[in-house]
Amino acid sequence: KMFNARSKIIKKGDSMPTDLEDEVAKCLHQLELNNDKLKPYLSQIFINSADIVEYEQANGATDKCLFVKIPFRSLHAYHKVSEDVIQHLGKAYNWPVLVSATRTILSKRAKRHRTQKIPRSRCLTAVQESILDDIVHPAAIAGKRTKVTVDGKKHMKVYIDPLDREKVEDKLEAMAYMYKKITTHPVSFGFAKPNSFQKKVMDASKKN
């Protein structure tokens, strides 16, 4: 039975998938075929869009990353196999891979019945927090600090769990670019200072 890439792609209305989206869908399907243990999760992962995004590094060089959007309902399954998905797509495209769920922001000004409250998960701030979690995943955020500049602009510094350094170290600039592109808010990433337990784990991994 021939695989139809369209079965892995969910687009709004009559939008047709791009060649890149077809390729990414086939790539995910290939991973699914070759991994019986992961198949129950991979079969639940669909894509809404895939783009190659160009961004400028701190040294002025231009680089690219693969940015994939998945339906919100695929997020739970994706979290179970995210490292495998990122590694597989990373090998296929040789660029940093970032994945985020498609979310809906409900405006406070939208007309609705006065007894209806907007779920917090649909408010702008909550959606932006979730996008940040998506972009950092599979690493975990250990802390955040927001500075306000003299002209009133906010700049957020995000500290990532030091045990997750290897998972995201090569794509911090791509992560910062994509977060600002989606939310318009500047952000920079660093790694939290390891506590005594984390130091032991890191020392043990170096010995191995």
Side-chain angles (χ1 to χ4, degrees):
K1 189 181 176 182
M2 196 173 172
F3 168 68
N4 180 5
R6 305 285 157 87
S7 63
K8 269 279 185 200
I9 304 169
I10 298 171
K11 303 290 283 182
K12 270 189 175 181
D14 300 327
S15 302
M16 293 296 289
T18 62
D19 290 343
L20 176 65
E21 287 162 354
D22 278 341
E23 283 175 22
V24 170
K26 285 173 186 170
C27 209
L28 287 175
H29 180 65
Q30 200 61 48
L31 183 63
E32 193 178 316
L33 288 179
N34 297 335
N35 292 273
D36 286 339
K37 281 185 181 178
L38 306 182
K39 197 169 185 176
Y41 303 111
L42 290 166
S43 64
Q44 297 176 56
I45 299 173
F46 300 88
I47 67 169
N48 291 139
S49 65
D51 295 287
I52 300 294
V53 180
E54 276 196 7
Y55 65 97
E56 193 176 294
Q57 294 181 323
N59 62 7
T62 301
D63 209 341
K64 295 177 181 177
C65 67
L66 173 65
F67 181 61
V68 181
K69 289 191 85 170
I70 62 174
F72 183 76
R73 70 168 191 254
S74 292
L75 194 61
H76 180 71
Y78 168 70
H79 280 168
K80 300 285 186 185
V81 292
S82 56
E83 289 186 53
D84 298 276
V85 169
I86 286 171
Q87 191 176 19
H88 186 67
L89 290 175
K91 279 181 181 175
Y93 292 95
N94 212 20
W95 288 312
V97 177
L98 302 174
V99 178
S100 181
T102 302
R103 291 181 171 85
T104 308
I105 297 168
L106 294 180
S107 169
K108 289 179 181 177
R109 292 187 294 274
K111 285 184 178 179
R112 57 174 56 81
H113 195 272
R114 59 188 171 79
T115 58
Q116 280 184 301
K117 282 189 176 180
I118 300 174
R120 188 185 180 278
S121 62
R122 297 289 188 89
C123 292
L124 179 64
T125 308
V127 169
Q128 289 175 347
E129 284 173 6
S130 298
I131 289 167
L132 184 63
D133 287 336
D134 286 352
I135 284 173
V136 169
H137 194 84
I141 294 171
K144 299 173 196 169
R145 185 179 295 160
T146 302
K147 282 185 179 179
V148 181
T149 56
V150 182
D151 56 357
K153 289 180 181 175
K154 289 181 180 179
H155 187 98
M156 181 163 58
K157 173 90 180 201
V158 176
Y159 296 92
I160 296 168
D161 188 321
L163 296 179
D164 293 330
R165 182 182 284 271
E166 285 185 16
K167 295 175 185 175
V168 293
E169 194 170 25
D170 63 339
K171 56 182 183 180
L172 296 181
E173 287 179 294
M175 285 157 48
Y177 177 84
M178 280 311 307
Y179 183 75
K180 187 178 180 185
K181 183 179 169 71
I182 298 166
T183 67
T184 73
H185 296 305
V187 66
S188 57
F189 293 97
F191 294 94
K193 195 176 177 182
N195 58 33
S196 55
F197 169 73
Q198 289 168 330
K199 274 182 184 172
K200 285 176 186 175
V201 173
M202 290 160 81
D203 290 341
S205 65
K206 280 177 189 173
K207 287 173 186 174
N208 295 335

